[in-house]
Every structure is written in structure tokens, then in C-alpha cells.
Amino acid sequence: KTQVEQSPQSLVVRQGENCVLQCNYSVTPDNHLRWFKQDTGKGLVSLTVLVDQKDKTSNGRYSATLDKDAKHSTLHITATLLDDTATYICVVGDRGSALGRLHFGAGTQLIVIP
Amino acid sequence: DMKVTQMPRYLIKRMGENVLLECGQDMSHETMYWYRQDPGLGLQLIYISYDVDSNSEGDIPKGYRVSRKKREHFSLILDSAKTNQTSVYFCASSLRREGQNTLYFGAGTRLSVL
């Protein structure tokens, strides 16, 4: 059973527009949540990590929120660039150490067009 | 320079052949992982290694084995490859300490078993 659901599956936006990606999960316990960016044919690169019950982070044009009560996270990308074209993957960790398990979503494919 | 290197990047094998995927990291990370990524699915953990000769099965270990004789090197072996092992394989590494450790991913090996 999939424990991390991402929506939408794919999204097309015009350069300069903002977009919001969603992540809903059922993982318990939910120690932390991380967003990764995966360029086509490349590995995953960490964008941000959220830890607190209600958390917010900001990393340049990327900002994220986490609500552990709702088991829901969002990734906001502001003023998108062509280089933002990638798959964005939500990952929930059930522990804070390497002894825990990571639960991966299938990703949202974002395409930014000129 | 923090890096996870996977070799080869692309591999085509016939069913029944043996396959060796190699992964190296230059960060002295204790923990290393092998994942596979299939379309529409989140990354699935095959094996995790907590240090030299300290390996544990992940969620889908059947048909795979691993070897870790040096901290910086982690191999994935497929004895008698099957067509359903066609996938993209990712190696990752992280520190073992408590906390929300960042995973560093390699660029992946795209394996086709014919």
C-alpha cells in the first residue's frame, strides 16, 4: 500500500509562474519529511527537510510546509525557471537516524515552458 | 567534493547473466543504500549497509545480494538476472548519526535485462 501520495502527477507551468506541489502520507511515526529534486537521468538532490509538528522552510525560490496533524506537506516554487523542470519527490522518514525507514512518493513531474 | 559515483551508468544484459553494479562515495559515510526506481513508483529499498560487512535486507531483497568490504564502496550483485530486474538503480549514502541525515544519491545505473 502506497504510504506517500503526491499530486498532481504532472504539471506544466509557464516560466515565471508560481506552482504548488502536494504530498499526503500515512507513514507513522513521521519523524521528518524531505523534498528532493530529480533532474531527468540524474540522482535525487535534497531541497529541504521539515521536522516540527507544524513546520515551514525556505530555500531561495523553494518554500515548504508540513502539518503532521494532517500528514500533509506542500512545496511552493516561486517564479519558476526552465531549470526547475524536474521530478519532485516527497520522502517521509519514520526515524531521525539511518536505522529508520524512508518512504518515497512517486513524484510530481514539473515541466516549465517558455 | 561530496560525491556518490555509480558505475556503469548504462548496462544491457541477457536474462541469466550475472550483473555487478558498483558504487563509491568520498564522504566516509557509514551508511549506504541500494534502491531501484520504476515508473510510477517511489524508490524501493533493496539493501542497506550500516558499515563494512554490516548489511541488512530492505523491502525487496529477493534476487539481489550486496558486498561491502570497504567503507567507501558498496556493490549490488544480481546472480542470474531476470527481465523484471530491468530498472534504474540508485546508490545513496548518509551519516549514521542521529538527526535528519541528508542522503546523497548517485546518478543511477540504467539496467536493461533482455
Side-chain angles (χ1 to χ4, degrees):
Chain A
K1 181 178 178 291
T2 302
Q3 296 193 62
V4 180
E5 299 276 1
Q6 292 188 243
S7 61
Q9 272 192 318
S10 62
L11 181 61
V12 179
V13 299
R14 289 200 180 277
Q15 184 177 354
E17 292 181 341
N18 302 333
C19 65
V20 181
L21 283 56
Q22 313 280 350
C23 177
N24 289 288
Y25 63 91
S26 58
V27 177
T28 299
D30 48 350
N31 177 274
H32 65 278
L33 186 147
R34 194 180 293 274
W35 284 93
F36 284 90
K37 179 185 180 187
Q38 183 180 26
D39 291 319
T40 301
K42 302 283 180 65
L44 283 68
V45 176
S46 180
L47 293 174
T48 190
V49 60
L50 302 121
V51 179
D52 295 334
Q53 196 71 15
K54 292 199 194 299
D55 204 354
K56 289 184 180 180
T57 62
S58 183
N59 177 11
R61 293 180 299 102
Y62 299 102
S63 61
T65 65
L66 172 63
D67 181 344
K68 288 189 177 181
D69 292 329
K71 292 191 179 291
H72 178 72
S73 176
T74 60
L75 178 68
H76 297 247
I77 307 176
T78 303
T80 52
L81 303 173
L82 297 178
D83 282 349
D84 292 331
T85 294
T87 297
Y88 293 82
I89 296 175
C90 172
V91 183
V92 180
D94 59 16
R95 282 183 63 170
S97 73
L99 296 174
R101 275 288 191 260
L102 296 175
H103 303 265
F104 288 77
T108 291
Q109 185 180 21
L110 174 66
I111 299 171
V112 181
I113 60 175
Chain B
D1 189 26
M2 298 183 291
K3 206 169 180 180
V4 177
T5 304
Q6 291 187 237
M7 293 292 288
R9 291 294 318 280
Y10 303 91
L11 190 58
I12 299 174
K13 287 286 192 178
R14 294 196 180 280
M15 193 168 58
E17 291 183 330
N18 298 330
V19 178
L20 173 65
L21 305 185
E22 308 211 66
C23 175
Q25 49 99 359
D26 60 3
M27 298 167 279
S28 295
H29 285 170
E30 304 94 340
T31 308
M32 296 186 74
Y33 311 76
W34 277 106
Y35 289 94
R36 64 178 281 176
Q37 186 179 38
D38 298 296
L41 298 178
L43 269 71
Q44 299 176 83
L45 179 65
I46 304 171
Y47 268 93
I48 182 172
S49 174
Y50 296 106
D51 213 326
V52 172
D53 284 331
S54 179
N55 307 318
S56 290
E57 294 180 347
D59 299 319
I60 53 163
K62 188 177 178 182
Y64 303 95
R65 61 184 175 93
V66 292
S67 174
R68 189 148 180 224
K69 298 301 182 185
K70 293 182 180 179
R71 179 172 279 188
E72 64 270 18
H73 192 75
F74 190 33
S75 300
L76 180 69
I77 301 122
L78 288 65
D79 295 314
S80 188
K82 299 172 181 52
T83 55
N84 63 8
Q85 292 178 309
T86 292
S87 187
V88 182
Y89 291 86
F90 286 98
C91 174
S93 73
S94 73
L95 288 169
R96 193 170 56 197
R97 59 178 166 82
E98 288 292 325
Q100 292 72 35
N101 301 298
T102 298
L103 253 64
Y104 293 86
F105 280 86
T109 294
R110 186 174 293 274
L111 172 67
S112 295
V113 182
L114 307 178

